[in-house]
Amino acid sequence: MDDNATCHRTLAVQDCLDSEGIQRLVWPARSPDLNPIEDVWVALGRQVAGRNYPPTNKNTLIRALTEE
């Protein structure tokens, strides 16, 4: 499985995979499933949205993200 990046599509990589008998799985490029930062943004957004008073400046945002 790869993300269709050009570095994963070189002949050298294909030859290596073929020599080991490894088949590629079809996977869409830029899939959010391959980008764990999306999960981090969701978690941070939920943490901020769950507060009674939304952050109004940098300091209150930092407190919102670091307090449990």
Side-chain angles (χ1 to χ4, degrees):
M1 177 171 40
D2 65 51
D3 60 359
N4 295 321
T6 55
C7 61
H8 298 154
R9 293 294 175 177
T10 65
L11 289 177
V13 171
Q14 187 59 48
D15 289 345
C16 178
L17 294 175
D18 289 344
S19 71
E20 298 295 323
I22 300 171
Q23 292 182 340
R24 292 180 189 265
L25 297 175
V26 178
W27 202 263
R30 299 178 187 238
S31 171
D33 294 336
L34 295 176
N35 191 353
I37 194 67
E38 297 301 325
D39 297 328
V40 173
W41 288 122
V42 169
L44 291 175
R46 285 184 180 150
Q47 190 168 347
V48 171
R51 297 183 57 87
N52 291 330
Y53 302 101
T56 56
N57 60 44
K58 179 181 171 183
N59 290 333
T60 58
L61 176 61
I62 290 170
R63 275 198 303 273
L65 296 174
T66 57
E67 291 177 354
E68 291 187 29

